[in-house]
Amino acid sequence: MSLSEAKNNHDPGEADLSDIAIEDVGAASVDKNDRARALASFKRDDRVFYWLTRLSALCVLAILGGIILTLIVGAWPAMRTFGFEFLWTQRWAPQLKPEPILGALGPLYGTMLTSFLAMLIAVPVGLGIAIFLTELCPQTLRHPISLAIELLAGVPSIIYGMWGFFVLGPFLADTFQPAMIATFQHIPVLNSIFAGPPSYLSLFNASLVLAIMILPFITAISREVFNTVPPMLKESAYGLGCTTWEVMRHVVIPYTRVGVVGGIMLALGRALGETMAVTFIIGNSFRISSSLFAPGTTISAAIASEFAESDGLHQSSLILLGLLLFVLTLFVLTAARLLLMRLERREGVAS
Amino acid sequence: MNPIYMRRRRANVGITGLCIASAAFGLIWLGLILFTLLWNGLAGLQWSVFTEMTPPPGSTTGGLANALMGSLIMAGIGVAIGAPLGMFAATYLAEYGKHEKLSSLIRFINDILLSAPSIIIGLFIYGAVVVPMGGFSALAGSLALAVIAIPIVVRTTEDMLNLVPTPLREAASALGMPRSLMIRRIAYKAARTGIITGILLATARVAGETAPLLFTALSNQFWSLDLTSAMANLPVSINNFVQSPYAYWKQLAWTGALIITLAVLALNISARILGAERSKS
């Protein structure tokens, strides 16, 4: 049956594209009923598939809603008992009778401090490696090294934690800290930073492991962002006689600033919420000490080490800690994503 | 030589030197970690690790058989739930609601979930599954892993579907293919290797996750295939062994860590090989 015949046979309004296709594919023998049935089943399939995908997409929203809801419900008893005082109470006494006293100041301080120190180490080093990889490294090594770094970004964080516990901890406690104490003994502020009995479990150790863990992450993102700079721009700068550093400083970094900052904040979000890399080595102590070599705790480490054996108000307080952590990372990650989206949009305009 | 030129040269040498030094510094640390992992892990790698159960306290024999099995089961179920869900969600974002406001919101939230702390996911599943079900269970652990896998699959699948050329879709529609059939037969097929790559990456991520399992699946010492009770798994077993006082347990922790790392690396590398094949063709 030809196309024009098909059109003549039916009301033109009904003859949509699939009508014609069926007639052509199914040859002349196709019964009218069969066709209607096939079309109806197509239509049904279409609708089912559409809703299946739409519901799955809404699932993503539901997960976020579920997370926020369960955290608030779980944290409610602690919120009601402690109120805002929870934020600046340092004491953590879950066993106290008749009422436990619990406060978030210790873990909040630990989370902020370890993340800050980790970023302080990892950002310059990570950016340095990224610059090295995009501008300085010999072409033959460029690919293997970037590949190795990207693979390292995928190594489970518990491995970093174990290494910190078994290897870095003993080294810091037996060699590094005594040397530092001996060096800074008589200098006022510094001696308190390094004070205390040498211990495997310390905020400094945790920060260092955290730094090593986010290093490949920062490097991978910055390298990717640096690679978005059009070669033409860099070549023009080199053509004008710029040195490598001047090209980085005046062309690559201004061009990618937003993306680099976004990547760094993404890494910060990871450092804030990282659990397994710090739990072994931080010592789970809620007291705030002036020494970096004293044990401390972070929100995630506190939850990881105490949650399974907690109940009642203690558990609720741990969930409240989790809620605080979630809000904190939500802010950081939202800022990071907004920055990265700005970069993407600009790229879209440019291309 | 011109003093300005000299100054620029000096600055350049100084900074590039620092970059090279930082690269060496970073790579040495990372190399050191891999080296100690291999060194300590290989020392305990023997056949019994794969055949014997996790040891009771003080014992000097035993392996990780039940933990390995538990990890396989939970990662398997987690990905089996997370991958289709993530794929369908991505299909909506890429095929149906590409320019909708709702889709941008979902995309944004998905990106946030992608880097949300995994321990928070653990707390979520604890409140949403463990408490109503009345106890720790392998099922809860699998669900936690699924929640972690979903954003990864959504992200990669959507990116891959966006790479499928529009004329391909138009050609299918012009032949009279209904939209759902076009997506399943044409778009999925064109994006297949990319989607599989994403699922492999999600599996790799899920396989090494520890924090969300600590209080959802917990752990136990026996061979168990019961999804409704606590189940041993590799990451939590490592977590428990590291903090134990027994030398043999610590050895097992290293061996387990080596096995996990190798598995994750193998998954990542095969994902990469698949990805490279795609960009070649």
Side-chain angles (χ1 to χ4, degrees), chain A residues 17-18 21-22 25 42-43 45-47 49-50 52-68 70-71 121 124-129 131-132 136 145 147-152 154-163 165-168 171 208 212-213 215-217 240-246 266 269-270 272-276 279-280 299-301 303-305 307-308 310 315 318-319 321-323 325-326 329-330 333-335 337-338 341 344, chain B residues 5 8-9 11-12 15-20 22-27 29-34 36-37 40 84-93 96 100 102 105-106 108-121 123-128 131 136 147 150-151 154-155 173-181 183-184 188 204-205 207-211 214-215 218 235-236 238-243 250 253-258 260-261 264-265 268-269 272:
Chain A
L17 280 172
S18 41
I22 295 298
V25 172
F42 275 162
K43 234 173 219 155
D45 278 9
D46 252 10
R47 201 161 316 136
F49 193 70
Y50 173 80
L52 189 66
T53 59
R54 198 180 156 96
L55 286 179
S56 305
L58 290 174
C59 241
V60 176
L61 292 185
I63 289 174
L64 185 77
I67 291 176
I68 295 174
T70 43
L71 286 183
I121 301 167
V125 177
L127 286 179
I129 301 180
I131 294 177
F132 171 77
L136 302 168
I145 294 182
L147 186 71
I149 289 202
E150 268 165 49
L151 287 179
L152 278 166
V155 170
S157 55
I158 193 170
I159 310 293
Y160 291 96
M162 271 182 83
W163 185 78
F165 185 71
F166 287 124
V167 182
L168 189 63
F171 168 76
L208 213 52
I212 296 170
M213 199 202 84
L215 188 61
F217 195 68
L240 287 173
C242 285
T243 59
T244 312
W245 166 239
E246 284 162 352
L266 223 53
R270 241 183 120 164
L272 285 172
E274 181 46 48
T275 311
M276 298 324 292
T279 304
F280 298 144
I299 292 178
S300 48
I303 299 173
S305 23
F307 195 84
S310 66
Q315 186 169 66
L318 287 170
I319 298 179
L321 278 182
L323 185 65
L325 175 66
F326 190 61
T329 46
L330 212 61
L333 292 176
T334 308
R337 288 298 173 191
L338 288 176
M341 265 161 69
E344 260 167 43
Chain B
Y5 185 64
R8 287 175 54 204
R9 267 256 303 252
N12 189 46
I15 299 284
T16 47
L18 275 180
C19 285
I20 294 173
S22 68
F25 173 78
L27 290 174
W29 282 116
L30 296 168
L32 215 58
I33 289 179
L34 282 192
T36 36
L37 178 65
N40 290 308
L85 218 95
M87 255 178 76
F88 286 139
T91 309
Y92 184 80
L93 297 182
Y96 288 112
E100 277 175 25
L102 177 73
L105 179 69
I106 292 175
F108 192 79
I109 284 176
N110 190 65
D111 278 351
I112 301 267
L113 287 178
L114 197 62
S115 9
S118 55
I119 193 148
I120 300 290
I121 311 285
L123 284 178
F124 163 51
I125 295 294
Y126 180 85
V131 172
F136 302 108
V147 171
I150 287 170
V154 170
R155 186 67 198 264
S173 293
L175 287 173
M177 240 182 189
R179 197 157 186 189
S180 61
L181 209 61
I183 292 170
R184 275 175 294 168
Y188 280 172
R205 168 82 194 275
E209 276 299 346
T210 317
L214 283 174
F215 34 81
L218 214 65
V236 175
I238 293 176
N239 175 57
N240 297 340
F241 290 169
V242 165
Q243 292 170 307
K250 290 182 181 173
W254 277 113
T255 310
L258 180 67
I260 282 200
T261 309
V264 167
L265 285 184
N268 272 323
I269 289 172
R272 242 152 233 292

Side-chain angles (χ1 to χ4, degrees), chain A residues 3 19-20 62 64 73 89 98 103 116-117 119-120 132-133 137 153 180 199 218 270 280 288 298 338:
Chain A
L3 220 109
D19 257 8
I20 299 161
L64 185 77
V73 167
T89 306
F116 174 74
L117 283 178
M119 298 305 282
L120 207 63
F132 171 77
L133 282 175
C137 184
M180 284 295 160
S199 152
I218 293 182
R270 241 183 120 164
F280 298 144
I288 296 176
T298 67
L338 288 176

Side-chain angles (χ1 to χ4, degrees), chain A residues 338-349:
Chain A
L338 288 176
L339 284 172
L340 286 172
M341 265 161 69
R342 242 174 69 185
L343 182 81
E344 260 167 43
R345 213 171 309 147
R346 201 178 58 193
E347 234 178 78
V349 171

